[in-house]
Every structure is written in C-alpha cells, then in structure tokens.
C-alpha cells in the first residue's frame, strides 16, 4: 500500500507499506541515489514473516520532497525518520543500506535513544564508507547529471557500473529510479543538490569529516541488537571497515553475503532477506 507521510513544515514523504499494522515495525531506508522500490522483494518477504514493513523515499529522492535549500544532512534525514516512527507510535527495527544505514546508525546511537530504535541492521556500510569505493559511487552518480536519451541508455550505464550483474531484459524496475524531464531526457530520480556537499572543496571535506566523527560517537552509544551485513565483493564495506564496526559495537552480529557487491539487495535478494529474517526472528520475537 502506498502512503504519504505529512511531516512538519509541509514536508511530504512517499512510502510503501506491507503487513499488519499491529505487527512489529521494520523501516527500510535505501541508499543514496536509490528509491524505496529497491526494497520491494525483501520488504514483501519480511512482511510475510509477521512484520509491518515501511519503505520510503528519503528526502531529495523519488516522490518525496526535495529540500529547496539542499538540506540533506544526516540530522535532517534523522528528523524525518523520527517523525515517521512517532506517527506509527511504536519502535522501529531499522534496516539501512549505505546512506540509509548511516541515517539509521545516527538515530540508534542518538543519546542512547530508547524510544525509537528496537534493532539496527546495517547493509554493506560501516561507520563510514571506504573512501575509494565512495568516490566510485559518486563518480557514477555525477556521470548521469546530464540525463539519458532513453531508458536503454540508462540501463547501459548501470551495466557498465555493475559488470558482475547480468543486464536485465526488463527495464521496468529501472524506470522507477528515473524521471522524464521537460527536455524529454531521463534523469535519476534524486535532487542534484544532493551531491553538492560530497567533498568537492576544503569546506565540504571538513563538514563531511565532522559528520563521520558524529557517526563514530553514535556507534559508541548503540545498545540495540545490531546486525552488519557485508557483500563479499564490496568496495564500500571492506574488511577494514567491517573490523572497525564490530570493535566499536562489540555486541553486533555479522553476516557475509557471497558473490554480492555493495548492491547486496539487488545482487542476492533471497539470501539477504533470509539473513534479515533470521536476525529479526532471534532478537524480536
């Protein structure tokens, strides 16, 4: 079921929900440049195990609002997440991929938060991403700023970026991550201002490092049950970032998904969903 969350200051968040509202809640937050639709297969499977699952487009992405000032900080994303949790009036089991994971971590470790987070699952992201891997993602995102003449052209760009994944014949799923501009070109469905603070100059790099410092403090405060999921072929969560995470949050559990890159959900959706389901089953019921 599709739903619009009306937040303060007339902010609107587009969401899709599965399962019974009476069941424990799982909120799944996608990565930067993606939309809520990336979770569809996993969300359906987890809901069938007895969970109320919410996926939503982060601010600046998909059908959710785009901030006119380009405010896409962790704190702003966290504020949106808190409002959605409070509107549902129950704690959330947070499942976050990449950017969504860092947002989830910032809430799970927010002054020893006890009101909002029941558990935390980080999907191929540690306390900070590997710098080289992060640069590769940002480079891919920037490469599409001028748009694509056809959906097939966009599919070709994705295939070049993800050579390990077989190019799908059906591009209907990709269409949900694109928007048709007035110039009849296809653009990724996110606000270009989202990339404005990605370390392009000294000030941006300093602000970026400060955000990661705050995430480090958040990680040190996490008390909720925690799962770290790693794609075995990932260049974002390498073993170095993995070891730092489990040392900082020593009670965390760990699952490695073989033959998966940073795009764990798309690469090995069934195995990923099983890992999440087992963790939630062991820690929630």
């Amino acid at each position: 079921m599709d739903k619009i969350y009306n937040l303060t200051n007339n902010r609107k968040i587009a969401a899709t929900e599965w399962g019974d509202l009476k069941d424990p809640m799982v909120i799944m937050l996608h990565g930067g440049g993606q939309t809520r639709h990336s979770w569809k297969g996993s969300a359906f499977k987890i809901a069938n195990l007895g969970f109320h699952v919410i996926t939503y487009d982060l601010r600046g992405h998909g059908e959710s609002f785009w901030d006119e000032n380009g405010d896409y900080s962790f704190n702003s994303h966290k504020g949106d997440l808190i409002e959605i949790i409070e509107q549902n009036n129950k704690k959330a089991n947070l499942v976050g991929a990449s950017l969504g994971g860092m947002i989830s971590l910032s809430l799970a470790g927010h002054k020893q938060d006890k009101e909002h987070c029941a558990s935390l699952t980080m999907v191929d992201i540690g306390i900070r991403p590997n710098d080289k891997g992060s640069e590769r993602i940002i480079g891919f995102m920037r490469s599409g700023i001028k748009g694509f003449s056809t959906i097939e052209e966009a599919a070709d760009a994705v295939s070049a970026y993800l050579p390990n994944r077989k190019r799908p014949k059906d591009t209907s799923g990709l269409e949900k991550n694109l928007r048709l501009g007035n110039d009849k070109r296809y653009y990724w469905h996110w606000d270009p201002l989202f990339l404005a603070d990605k370390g392009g100059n000294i000030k941006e790099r300093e602000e970026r490092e400060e955000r990661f410092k705050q995430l480090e403090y958040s990680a040190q405060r996490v008390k909720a049950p925690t799962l770290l999921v790693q794609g075995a072929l990932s260049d974002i969560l390498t073993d170095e970032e993995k070891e730092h995470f489990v040392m900082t949050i020593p009670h965390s559990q760990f699952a490695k998904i073989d033959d998966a890159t940073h795009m764990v959900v798309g690469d090995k959706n069934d195995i990923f969903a099983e890992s999440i389901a087992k963790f939630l089953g062991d820690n929630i019921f």
Side-chain angles (χ1 to χ4, degrees):
M1 176 183 71
D2 290 334
K3 178 177 180 177
I4 297 294
Y5 279 93
N6 294 300
L7 310 185
T8 56
N9 298 323
N10 200 34
R11 292 170 293 138
K12 297 185 183 298
I13 293 289
T16 302
E17 304 194 8
W18 291 263
D20 193 322
L21 296 178
K22 297 178 181 178
D23 288 337
M25 182 168 67
V26 175
I27 297 183
M28 308 182 81
L29 292 86
H30 63 76
Q34 297 182 316
T35 69
R36 69 189 191 275
H37 301 292
S38 63
W39 294 112
K40 183 177 179 181
S42 300
F44 177 76
K45 292 174 182 177
I46 293 171
N48 282 343
L49 296 173
F51 291 93
H52 167 212
V53 180
I54 300 173
T55 66
Y56 70 87
D57 291 337
L58 300 176
R59 60 164 60 201
H61 292 73
E63 298 172 283
S64 290
F65 77 100
W66 290 15
D67 188 87
E68 60 183 14
N69 297 315
D71 183 2
Y72 299 118
S73 65
F74 291 152
N75 283 338
S76 296
H77 283 297
K78 180 171 65 179
D80 298 339
L81 175 58
I82 288 173
E83 287 199 52
I84 291 171
I85 293 173
E86 291 182 346
Q87 286 189 29
N88 283 277
N89 197 33
K90 54 185 174 181
K91 289 185 178 183
N93 296 281
L94 301 176
V95 179
S98 201
L99 171 63
M102 291 186 283
I103 296 166
S104 300
L105 175 60
S106 70
L107 177 56
H110 179 60
K111 296 180 181 178
Q112 296 184 340
D113 183 272
K114 297 180 180 179
E115 302 299 324
H116 301 103
C117 178
S119 71
L120 171 67
T121 297
M122 302 283 285
V123 184
D124 207 70
I125 191 69
I127 298 171
R128 65 176 293 158
N130 178 274
D131 287 338
K132 288 185 178 180
S134 180
E135 289 171 4
R136 193 173 77 90
I137 290 178
I138 292 170
F140 169 71
M141 295 175 71
R142 286 195 169 124
S143 70
I145 287 290
K146 294 182 179 179
F148 306 95
S149 59
T150 65
I151 293 176
E152 289 298 320
E153 185 180 338
D156 289 340
V158 173
S159 292
Y161 174 66
L162 298 171
N164 65 297
R165 188 186 299 182
K166 186 177 180 180
R167 188 184 189 283
K169 295 180 180 180
D170 181 4
T171 60
S172 59
L174 180 62
E175 291 179 39
K176 294 183 182 297
N177 287 315
L178 294 165
R179 57 183 173 85
L180 184 62
N182 294 331
D183 58 359
K184 304 303 180 183
R185 291 181 66 79
Y186 291 91
Y187 296 87
W188 297 123
H189 211 161
W190 44 267
D191 185 354
L193 290 177
F194 171 69
L195 286 182
D197 65 343
K198 299 303 180 184
N201 56 47
I202 293 176
K203 181 181 178 181
E204 289 171 358
R205 287 196 293 271
E206 289 176 346
E207 292 175 348
R208 183 171 182 264
E209 288 305 312
E210 179 60 30
R211 288 197 295 273
F212 288 131
K213 185 184 296 184
Q214 294 304 315
L215 277 183
E216 185 81 32
Y217 294 148
S218 293
Q220 293 168 6
R221 293 191 292 257
V222 170
K223 301 299 181 185
T226 300
L227 172 67
L228 178 64
V229 178
Q230 179 189 38
L233 305 178
S234 175
D235 60 353
I236 293 291
L237 181 68
T238 68
D239 287 342
E240 181 180 354
E241 288 82 34
K242 174 248 183 178
E243 291 300 327
H244 179 61
F245 185 92
V246 298
M247 286 179 63
T248 306
I249 310 178
H251 67 271
S252 58
Q253 300 176 45
F254 175 70
K256 178 179 282 190
I257 308 297
D258 291 335
D259 300 320
T261 65
H262 179 58
M263 313 299 286
V264 176
V265 181
D267 289 342
K268 298 291 179 180
N269 185 61
D270 288 345
I271 299 174
F272 166 77
E274 290 173 5
S275 298
I276 302 298
K278 182 179 186 306
F279 169 73
L280 293 175
D282 291 345
N283 291 277
I284 305 306
F285 292 124

